[in-house]
Amino acid sequence: MISLTLTDLAGVINGSLVLDGSATADTRVEGTVDTDSRNIGPGDIFVAKPGETTDGHRFVPTAASQGALVAIVEHVVEASISQIVVQNTVEALADLAREVVGRVRARGQLRVVGITGSNGKTTTKNMLAHILAADGDTVSPHASFNNEVGAPLTMLRVTDDTKYLVSEFGASGPGEIAKLAGLVAPDVGIVLMVGMAHAGGFGGIEETFRAKSELVRAVRSGGLAVLNADDGRVVAMSPIAQENDVAVRWFGHAAKADVHASDVEVTGEGTLCTVSVDGVSAQLRLRVLGAHHVMNALAALAAATALGVSGKDAIHRLEQVEIAERWRMQPLGSDRVRIINDAYNASPDSMSAALRTLAQITTPDQRRVAVLGAMSELGEYAEEEHDRIGLLAVRLGIERIVIIGDAARRMFLEAVAQGSWDGEAVYFADADAAYDYLTTELRDGDRVLVKSSNSAGLRFLGDRLGEFFS
């Protein structure tokens, strides 16, 4: 974070400064800001956020013992540390992020990119950050820091040397993206797609469209919206951009897009395609598995080249990205039994894409195995969408369909109803039972997809299988 005095810090977040004897009002703070006391070190700022299972105020003494200079709290805590008392620590975190980014931006070079979409945010963020990092100091989220806490924490990592801030904006309901993006008014806003992820929270696909379009509305006047030319709902955001004096740059498979791809070939080692950037074509060899990640790469290329990176350099840097992120199409195991751990998150769109990738990368002498768990936050659409995935797995000819957990049972029942009645589809109540089955059932040549929403916990099953077959 940039350097602020304790008095300045208190003023920014509208708090009351309570000094410990070791500090003064003019003491400067510029350390890391975090809500997790385990990440706190000397000179850092600890934010005591109340939570569902615990209260951050309990850990103020721990943060103090680890060298934190100040704690942002909602009430004074008995601890040897200066404290700033505010009404709401999460809102204070947002206020601080807005101020810090605003000050850095006013001093010069900082450019801000915001990314949203029902799927692909983290992968696109990682790809774009990798491209931009070679061009200047780049700040981007750890993992999927994209909510009301994670996004401001990322923003607060900027310094006066930062050239690019890449922010990822997730949401489970209307208004959340507007609030987060409003903290920084991005120079570039990327909308990847409008799908069924979190549809239960939004109340349907049209509400999801309205929520994702909040990013386009938040882009500063004179900025740029990078939009998916293949998604009709994203295309419908173009008039919103025009109304707000925001230019549009298109990406997709459509030849009319400013950045587009053709001749896509998916293999077990990655994805090959021809990309055209503003009329100049080149080969792209992505190490990341899956044709669906081509769209994420195109979005990253469209944004990076708009920010001044040459197409040639951007493509070269993209080719160095080995995996999208841990637990996202992550190859594990060995050539003998390959595990693809994609169980960090799941929606109907990403589940379908992962299953199709499994079918595409498997040769005739290899067996396709899908280990699937529930897709969360689908609300009233849950039964229908789980049925659809069970049907798709059968139609793709997946030889072993392993369903785990009661919330995913509809996939198993649909797979059986559609023809997988001779042992192809099996059901287990929990991951441990599935692990015992898979460690004896899997054989040389198998290609195994592990896919579920985060809440199902199958990412850890994927890790265990990867280690077993390494």
Side-chain angles (χ1 to χ4, degrees):
M1 194 187 78
I2 63 173
S3 178
L4 296 172
T5 67
L6 288 177
T7 297
D8 285 342
L9 178 57
V12 166
I13 61 179
N14 195 28
S16 300
L17 177 60
V18 180
L19 287 169
D20 176 65
S22 61
T24 71
D26 293 327
T27 297
R28 302 197 74 86
V29 57
E30 55 187 6
T32 297
V33 182
D34 212 303
T35 58
D36 189 336
S37 62
R38 293 170 294 185
N39 298 332
I40 292 295
D44 289 347
I45 304 169
F46 176 63
V47 181
K49 182 182 76 71
E52 294 180 3
T53 58
T54 190
D55 186 342
H57 291 80
R58 292 177 52 203
F59 300 96
V60 171
T62 301
S65 69
Q66 293 174 185
L69 185 58
V70 63
I72 298 174
V73 297
E74 294 179 4
H75 57 81
V76 174
V77 177
E78 191 71 33
S80 298
I81 184 174
S82 295
Q83 300 174 47
I84 300 176
V85 184
V86 298
Q87 287 190 336
N88 185 300
T89 53
V90 173
E91 291 181 3
L93 190 64
D95 290 340
L96 182 57
R98 180 190 296 108
E99 180 69 15
V100 166
V101 172
R103 290 193 187 194
V104 174
R105 192 180 229 155
R107 292 170 189 168
Q109 65 176 351
L110 180 65
R111 305 291 297 280
V112 179
V113 182
I115 303 172
T116 196
S118 298
N119 299 111
K121 294 183 293 296
T122 300
T123 299
T124 304
K125 172 262 296 184
N126 287 341
M127 288 178 169
L128 179 57
H130 186 85
I131 295 171
L132 297 177
D135 227 36
D137 183 67
T138 300
V139 170
S140 64
H142 299 304
S144 292
F145 270 34
N146 60 22
N147 61 12
E148 63 178 0
V149 174
L153 288 178
T154 298
M155 296 168 189
L156 287 168
R157 288 168 43 217
V158 303
T159 69
D160 288 324
D161 294 325
T162 303
K163 186 173 183 179
Y164 300 109
L165 167 63
V166 181
S167 289
E168 179 183 336
F169 300 131
S172 56
E176 294 178 18
I177 293 172
K179 182 177 180 179
L180 294 176
L183 298 177
V184 292
D187 300 285
V188 179
I190 302 173
V191 184
L192 298 168
M193 65 177 297
V194 177
M196 290 297 293
H198 313 297
F202 287 115
I205 195 72
E206 292 307 318
E207 287 302 319
T208 304
F209 159 77
R210 280 186 275 275
K212 300 304 180 185
S213 67
E214 291 169 8
L215 176 57
V216 178
R217 297 184 188 279
V219 173
R220 60 174 45 207
S221 178
L224 176 71
V226 175
L227 302 180
N228 183 347
D230 299 348
D231 186 319
R233 290 186 173 87
V234 178
V235 171
M237 297 179 191
S238 178
I240 298 172
Q242 294 171 359
E243 290 169 10
N244 291 279
D245 190 29
V246 171
V248 174
R249 185 162 169 80
W250 299 101
F251 70 93
H253 293 284
K256 64 181 181 181
D258 300 292
V259 180
H260 63 265
S262 59
D263 302 322
V264 178
E265 179 185 352
V266 180
T267 73
E269 286 69 49
T271 308
L272 311 178
C273 64
T274 300
V275 295
S276 176
V277 181
D278 299 320
V280 178
S281 296
Q283 288 294 306
L284 172 63
R285 295 177 176 271
L286 276 179
R287 300 189 192 185
V288 182
L289 294 176
H292 52 298
H293 286 308
V294 170
M295 289 297 287
N296 301 327
L298 294 177
L301 285 171
T305 50
L307 289 166
V309 180
S310 74
K312 179 180 178 180
D313 286 342
I315 289 170
H316 174 71
R317 295 168 194 173
L318 259 184
E319 292 181 330
Q320 311 310 308
V321 178
E322 295 186 3
I323 63 171
E325 179 83 50
R326 186 183 179 193
W327 298 318
R328 298 173 191 268
M329 298 303 286
Q330 181 182 6
L332 300 171
S334 63
D335 288 340
R336 185 171 67 87
V337 176
R338 176 64 66 200
I339 309 296
I340 303 170
N341 193 351
D342 193 33
Y344 186 83
N345 218 335
S347 68
D349 295 306
S350 68
M351 186 77 84
S352 298
L355 284 169
R356 295 183 191 281
T357 298
L358 176 65
Q360 290 171 324
I361 67 172
T362 310
T363 60
D365 61 332
Q366 297 170 337
R367 189 171 62 156
R368 294 163 286 195
V369 180
V371 182
L372 309 177
M375 301 176 288
S376 62
E377 300 184 61
L378 292 175
E380 63 182 288
Y381 307 99
E383 292 187 356
E384 172 188 344
E385 294 300 328
H386 281 86
D387 286 350
R388 190 169 68 84
I389 295 302
L391 171 61
L392 177 63
V394 173
R395 289 186 172 174
L396 289 173
I398 307 299
E399 286 88 354
R400 282 289 181 274
I401 304 169
V402 181
I403 307 299
I404 303 172
D406 185 62
R409 191 177 179 87
R410 289 288 295 245
M411 283 192 280
F412 167 71
L413 296 175
E414 184 67 13
V416 171
Q418 295 298 329
S420 288
W421 57 75
D422 192 25
E424 296 97 334
V426 294
Y427 170 80
F428 296 96
D430 57 56
D432 287 339
Y435 176 80
D436 292 340
Y437 166 79
L438 289 163
T439 51
T440 57
E441 168 65 20
L442 296 179
R443 63 192 189 210
D444 287 4
D446 284 353
R447 296 297 178 257
V448 185
L449 170 70
V450 182
K451 180 73 174 170
S452 74
S453 283
N454 202 336
S455 58
L458 296 197
R459 61 195 185 281
F460 304 117
L461 172 62
D463 286 344
R464 292 174 68 192
L465 291 171
E467 183 176 354
F468 185 87
F469 290 102
S470 63

